[in-house]
């Protein structure tokens, strides 16, 4: 998983307003952080947003780069909104103005070109990958999602929120039952010790 995680961190290093980080839960400094955020198994992925609050949510999806990248884009990343110009810097505003009035086929053609450049790892006219990603997000917003993309996004939100809610319930149930399970295990151990002692005593007597 680490190669996919490192690639994700590099992809959002200068874009999307997202911080990708990791904590070593076995280190002295990381142990307390992981405990405070309810991390008990490794590796665990948690994400934080305005919706989750400081407690965060546990990510339960696939751990390939493609799956992680898709989740970040749809749920966490923030980009320039070409309709309201919210979160847009001057360079992005100029690009939005340049694309204004173009029809969907032209916008789609430019989008395909930029995606090809990004996939190939090629810089466009010496401009950084970050600027390519920003333009892709602007064009995607101008074109709008397809019907299937809308369905996939809706399903993704329902799936992750349902899974996160189930995980919280399961952890709460485990904490509630832990004392009873521990007591039962202790009784079984005591019973086993008693039976073993009697059996061994009987065997010695027979000898």
């Amino acid at each position: 998983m680490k190669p996919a995680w490192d690639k994700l961190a590099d992809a959002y290093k200068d874009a999307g307003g997202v911080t990708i980080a990791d904590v070593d839960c076995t280190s002295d400094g990381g142990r307390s952080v992981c405990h405070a955020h309810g991390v008990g198994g490794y590796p665990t992925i948690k994400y934080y947003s305005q919706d989750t609050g400081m407690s965060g949510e546990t990510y339960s999806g696939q751990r390939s780069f493609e799956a992680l990248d898709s989740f970040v884009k749809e749920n966490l990343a923030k980009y320039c909104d070409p309709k309201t110009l919210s979160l847009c810097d001057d360079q992005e505003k100029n690009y939005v103005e340049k694309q204004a009035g173009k029809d969907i086929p032209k916008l789609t053609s430019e989008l395909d070109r930029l995606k090809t450049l990004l996939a190939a790892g090629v810089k466009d006219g010496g401009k950084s990958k970050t600027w390519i990603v920003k333009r892709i997000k602007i064009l995607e917003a101008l074109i709008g999602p397809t019907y299937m993309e809308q369905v996939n996004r809706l399903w993704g939100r329902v799936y992750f929120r349902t899974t996160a809610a189930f995980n919280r319930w399961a952890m709460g149930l485990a904490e509630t039952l832990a004392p009873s399970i521990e007591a039962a295990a202790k009784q079984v151990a005591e019973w086993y010790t008693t039976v073993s002692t009697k059996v061994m005593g009987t065997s010695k007597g027979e000898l």
Side-chain angles (χ1 to χ4, degrees):
M1 177 188 151
K2 182 167 173 52
W5 187 255
D6 290 343
K7 185 177 180 180
L8 187 72
D10 181 63
Y12 289 93
K13 183 169 57 178
D14 300 310
V18 178
T19 299
I20 308 295
D22 52 70
V23 176
D24 181 1
C25 294
T26 63
S27 67
D28 292 337
R31 194 175 295 112
S32 59
V33 175
C34 295
H35 177 73
H37 289 268
V39 176
Y42 320 120
T44 294
I45 299 176
K46 298 199 71 172
Y47 61 93
Y48 301 83
S49 66
Q50 290 182 341
D51 292 334
T52 69
M54 293 298 292
S55 59
E57 294 282 3
T58 300
Y59 171 80
S60 304
Q62 296 181 0
R63 299 188 175 189
S64 65
F65 169 76
E66 291 75 16
L68 291 167
D69 183 47
S70 177
F71 179 82
V72 172
K73 284 180 178 177
E74 295 177 9
N75 298 276
L76 302 175
K78 296 180 179 179
Y79 292 96
C80 165
D81 184 344
K83 297 177 181 178
T84 64
L85 297 183
S86 173
L87 301 176
C88 302
D89 58 30
D90 291 339
Q91 187 180 34
E92 289 169 318
K93 289 177 181 178
N94 290 334
Y95 184 72
V96 171
E97 184 178 352
K98 181 180 177 182
Q99 302 305 315
K102 290 186 178 180
D103 57 24
I104 296 299
K106 288 184 178 179
L107 293 174
T108 302
S109 176
E110 175 65 4
L111 177 62
D112 291 340
R113 184 184 73 85
L114 291 173
K115 284 185 174 181
T116 299
L117 287 173
L118 186 64
V122 177
K123 293 185 177 180
D124 182 21
K127 296 173 183 175
S128 69
K129 179 177 68 175
T130 300
W131 177 226
I132 294 177
V133 172
K134 286 183 177 181
R135 282 181 289 171
I136 286 175
K137 300 306 295 184
I138 289 173
L139 290 170
E140 287 178 338
L142 287 171
I143 294 170
T146 64
Y147 175 73
M148 285 307 300
E149 287 174 338
Q150 293 180 46
V151 171
N152 288 336
R153 288 180 184 179
L154 177 60
W155 166 247
R157 293 191 184 99
V158 171
Y159 173 80
F160 283 110
R161 289 182 181 179
T162 301
T163 303
F166 175 78
N167 287 339
R168 287 197 302 270
W169 173 81
M171 290 179 66
L173 181 63
E175 291 177 358
T176 301
L177 296 178
S180 299
I181 295 174
E182 185 177 350
K186 184 177 180 181
Q187 289 180 351
V188 170
E190 291 175 351
W191 173 82
Y192 178 80
T193 301
T194 301
V195 172
S196 298
T197 301
K198 289 183 177 180
V199 171
M200 291 299 294
T202 300
S203 298
K204 290 179 179 179
E206 292 177 349
L207 292 173

